[in-house]
């Protein structure tokens, strides 16, 4: 049996908060510059003699990593050992469904389950366009929840979805990720932001990743919001696999290396024309294809 190790539950640059196997929380420093623990990492740690702080000496093997480029464009690991990736959108700031798609690609790439949440339903009695987008995600097998962290509407549904798993909440800045977690944990431990009136964009309230335990099992990681997101992919072939409905339909294409753009006998283009595949998701696929090919030039 695997022995229980301390788990990283918050990261502040070179200091971490750890949850020890007995449930106690301690602050830990890191031994050396080479190890970079992230939220949900299982680590080996020891108490520093004559001090309150602990020292992380080793990171246990990771099940997976969620990577993303930081503000300087370097790829960094945001969290590890994730069991569910929850992409949050909302009516405000204006939804960017392409960001949602790209996070779903990241989840596919990590072979981790993913779900899509549309928050702030209280702001829009009439939200047919969001409903239509959510229906497409649901049709291709991603669980979806439309909720309001403010009024609590449908938050039980989200709770059920998260139960018993380690989930990370991602999405644009200001969509309400921290508010959702505060609601789920019945607390206001996470700071939340007001949306800047000028740009309509969030102000990047959350700067550290923090993991909170859920009542009845499971944990949820809050992450800093993004203005944009794209997973670093290797090849066009990989992009084809990460849009799951395109991957499935693509098995019927005439050429098995079909890129689904201009090739004859393309089952994907046919499915888009038949409205079996979302035209918006197909557009998103093509953008991701171009992005990946440009990065490889
Ligand atoms: N009306 C309404 N406002 C909400 C809801 N959820 C969050 N908000 C508001 O939206 C703003 C941003 O919420 P946050 O929880 O800070 O958003 P975030 O996604 O964590 O933002 P970052 O940490 O910057 O990534 C705050 O003013 C919240 O009060 C909701 O369901 N309805
Ligand atoms: Mg936040
Ligand atoms: Zn094709």
């Amino acid at each position: 049996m695997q022995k229980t190790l301390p788990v990283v539950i918050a990261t502040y640059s070179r200091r971490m908060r750890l949850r020890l196997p007995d449930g106690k929380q301690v602050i830990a420093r890191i031994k050396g510059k080479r190890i970079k623990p992230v939220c949900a990492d299982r680590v080996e740690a020891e108490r520093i003699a004559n001090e309150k702080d602990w020292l992380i000496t080793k990171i246990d093997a990771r099940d997976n990593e969620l990577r993303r480029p930081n503000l300087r464009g370097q790829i960094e690991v945001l969290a590890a050992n994730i069991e569910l990736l929850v992409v949050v959108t909302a009516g405000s700031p204006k939804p960017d469904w392409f960001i949602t798609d790209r996070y779903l690609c990241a989840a596919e790439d990590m072979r981790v389950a993913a779900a899509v949440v549309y928050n702030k339903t209280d702001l829009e009695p009439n939200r047919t366009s969001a409903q239509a987008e959510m229906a497409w995600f649901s049709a291709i097998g991603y669980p979806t929840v439309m909720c309001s962290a403010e009024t609590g509407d449908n938050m039980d549904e989200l709770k059920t979805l998260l139960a018993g798993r380690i989930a990370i909440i991602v999405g644009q800045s200001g969509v309400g990720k921290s508010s959702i977690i505060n609601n789920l944990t019945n607390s206001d431990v996470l700071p939340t932001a007001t949306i800047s009136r000028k740009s309509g964009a969030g102000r990047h309230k959350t700067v550290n990743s923090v993991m909170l335990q859920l009542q009845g099992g499971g944990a949820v990681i809050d992450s800093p919001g993004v203005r944009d997101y794209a997973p670093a992919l290797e090849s066009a072939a990989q992009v084809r696999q990460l849009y799951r409905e395109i991957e499935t339909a693509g098995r019927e294409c005439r050429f098995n290396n079909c890129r689904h753009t201009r090739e004859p006998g393309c089952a994907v283009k046919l499915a888009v024309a038949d409205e079996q595949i979302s035209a918006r998701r197909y557009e998103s696929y093509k953008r991701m294809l171009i992005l990946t090919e440009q990065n490889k030039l």
Side-chain angles (χ1 to χ4, degrees), residues 71-82:
L71 292 172
R72 277 165 285 144
Q74 299 153 323
I75 306 289
E76 58 180 23
V77 179
L78 193 63
N81 306 323
I82 303 300

Side-chain angles (χ1 to χ4, degrees), residues 100-110 231 233 242-243 288:
T100 309
D101 290 336
R102 294 190 195 136
Y103 269 119
L104 294 177
C105 283
E108 296 288 338
D109 195 33
M110 293 166 71
L233 302 180
L242 301 182
Y243 284 77
M288 191 70 212

Side-chain angles (χ1 to χ4, degrees), residues 3-8 10 14-32 35 37 43-58:
K3 70 173 176 182
T4 318
L5 292 172
V7 175
V8 176
R14 296 297 290 173
R15 275 173 182 271
M16 317 265 124
R17 182 178 288 275
L18 293 185
R19 192 178 60 237
L20 302 177
D22 65 6
K24 214 174 97 193
Q25 294 186 10
V26 295
I27 297 294
R29 303 205 291 262
I30 305 157
K31 186 175 180 181
I35 55 175
V43 297
E44 287 178 18
E46 59 201 33
R47 192 170 187 154
I48 303 173
N50 306 320
E51 278 194 47
K52 250 188 14 260
D53 287 2
W54 285 56
L55 188 70
I56 297 172
T57 55
K58 191 170 177 247

